Amino acid sequence: MKISTHVMAVGLAFALASCGSDPAPGPVEQIVVREPGEAAQPVAAATDEEAGTETDLVATGETVFATCSGCHAVEPDAAAMAGPNLAGIVGAKAGAVEGFPYSEALLASRLTWTEAELDAYLADPTGKVPGTTMVAGALPDPDRRKAVIAWLATTGSD
Ligand code: HEC
């Protein structure tokens, strides 16, 4: 038993050593991150990842918006389509695009489109605002809602 354990350890060390000389050291990096002495490194990596995630989120949101762009424009001066222009919608009052024929229900909702309200409306438009004329475009997936809201927040003329 002892001998075979020893042989395995040597085998592992050898595998690590040969990985170390490999020009693609991916697996070795993962092992290094788990060592107690490297505690600072994962924290730094997490910060980088978060920054990357925020950028990815906006990029993903732009892709998700393809499910909305049949009914909504986002360029600030673009005309309304079946739905109102959504430029700068995050933080705006519901039903505020002048000239758009909103439903009575949306006008009466007196909502302000905070991220939370948008999230609820996009999850289930007719559930959140019974009588809304937005009868398609719901996003059941919370990650897709989060992404499209992050992207919408980058639109508008501020
Ligand atoms: C089938 C067309 C259609 C699709 C697809 C659609 N919408 Fe809508 N949307 C509408 C209509 C119509 C309204 C106006 C609703 C009302 O007046 O009750 C609206 C209203 C809205 C509002 C409120 C706007 C305001 O000025 O208060 C938001 C926000 C919104 N949509 C976001 C989205 C997002 C994000 C998507 C994609 C995930 C999407 N919509 C997909 C038709 C659509």
Side-chain angles (χ1 to χ4, degrees), residues 57-153:
L57 196 64
V58 169
T60 303
E62 186 166 9
T63 326
V64 172
F65 192 75
T67 65
C68 325
S69 59
C71 295
H72 290 285
V74 279
E75 297 76 28
D77 296 321
M81 300 165 75
N85 189 310
L86 294 182
I89 194 71
V90 180
K93 287 210 182 318
V97 173
E98 217 160 302
F100 184 83
Y102 289 102
S103 63
E104 288 295 327
L106 193 73
L107 291 172
S109 75
R110 300 188 155 269
L111 286 168
T112 293
W113 292 126
T114 61
E115 291 183 16
E117 298 287 26
L118 278 170
D119 188 72
Y121 184 65
L122 296 179
D124 182 8
T126 51
K128 173 74 176 163
V129 181
T132 182
T133 45
M134 178 163 151
V135 292
L139 294 176
D141 178 350
D143 291 338
R144 283 165 62 84
R145 294 199 300 274
K146 194 175 177 198
V148 84
I149 292 166
W151 181 71
L152 282 170

Side-chain angles (χ1 to χ4, degrees), residues 25-71:
V28 172
E29 269 178 14
Q30 280 188 338
I31 288 162
V32 168
V33 164
R34 282 161 202 235
E35 273 183 19
E38 300 284 332
Q41 205 168 317
V43 174
T47 310
D48 286 352
E49 255 175 47
E50 257 172 41
T53 304
E54 186 58 36
T55 314
D56 292 351
L57 196 64
V58 169
T60 303
E62 186 166 9
T63 326
V64 172
F65 192 75
T67 65
C68 325
S69 59
C71 295

